[in-house]
Amino acid sequence: MEAPHSPAAEPTAPRVTARVTVDSPERMSELGGRLAALLRPGDLVMLSGPLGAGKTTLTRGLGAGLGVRGAVTSPTFVIARVHPSLTSGPPLVHVDAYRLGGGLDEMEDLDLDVSLPDSVVVVEWGEGKVEELSDDRLQVVIDRVLGGGTGTDPLAVEEHDLRVVTLTGIGRRWADVDLTASVG
């Protein structure tokens, strides 16, 4: 029997990367809709970026693209929300791990390992907390381009500031997926 391994300990795991600049919340939601077309049951999507970067907006687009029920809103205070599919697709499990300090042990009560095989699980702020759930995952990093707005204060965060979204598919599941097609 083969010993279990950690994805972090596997430096040779296939990685596929794409990058796109997003200029509005509507475009972020549209990107989520395009990414949804690539997702299937069992996929783990990890979102990271500063507060207000657009993680929930992207997830709202994922939910629309997956055809799930209910408004996709930030699960910060409830930690996780399940959005059942209105079609024959997978449910969306939306998790906000921001207030959780520990690793996977602290998240055990959420039963993400039970939900994952049948759902698309999206985790905001999951770095260092949920990687052990799967050897395969899609990491989405959203960076603000500060000063990208039209206001006079170059450090002000404005609704129309640019975001650079980097998609990294990790593991065999993503080895043959064309992430660039979803960002076009």
Side-chain angles (χ1 to χ4, degrees):
M1 180 175 201
E2 198 171 331
H5 60 281
S6 164
E10 199 174 316
T12 59
R15 289 178 179 258
V16 179
T17 301
R19 183 170 290 164
V20 63
T21 300
V22 177
D23 63 2
S24 70
E26 295 77 24
R27 297 272 193 255
M28 185 68 76
S29 186
E30 290 170 9
L31 174 61
R34 289 191 307 272
L35 285 174
L38 301 177
L39 299 175
R40 61 185 189 205
D43 282 344
L44 173 63
V45 180
M46 291 177 46
L47 303 178
S48 62
L51 288 170
K55 295 179 294 296
T56 300
T57 301
L58 181 80
T59 306
R60 193 171 295 122
L62 287 171
L66 290 170
V68 300
R69 184 179 54 166
V72 176
T73 59
S74 177
T76 299
F77 297 104
V78 295
I79 311 297
R81 294 184 195 275
V82 177
H83 299 275
S85 177
L86 293 172
T87 65
S88 59
L92 172 67
V93 178
H94 184 197
V95 180
D96 187 331
Y98 182 74
R99 297 177 349 140
L100 301 176
L104 193 56
D105 292 340
E106 187 173 340
M107 297 185 72
E108 195 170 276
D109 290 340
L110 298 177
D111 287 332
L112 294 179
D113 55 336
V114 173
S115 300
L116 187 59
D118 301 318
S119 307
V120 169
V121 176
V122 176
V123 183
E124 297 185 29
W125 307 97
E127 306 79 27
K129 299 174 184 170
V130 297
E131 290 90 342
E132 294 175 21
L133 283 174
S134 177
D135 288 340
D136 303 308
R137 63 189 174 279
L138 179 62
Q139 284 187 229
V140 180
V141 178
I142 305 171
D143 291 308
R144 273 198 196 114
V145 178
L146 293 176
T150 58
T152 57
D153 181 356
L155 298 179
V157 176
E158 300 179 19
E159 184 175 303
H160 52 274
D161 277 349
L162 298 176
R163 303 322 196 235
V164 175
V165 181
T166 304
L167 309 168
T168 305
I170 298 172
R172 289 187 198 111
R173 154 70 175 102
W174 296 100
D176 297 323
V177 176
D178 183 6
L179 292 175
T180 60
S182 67
V183 299

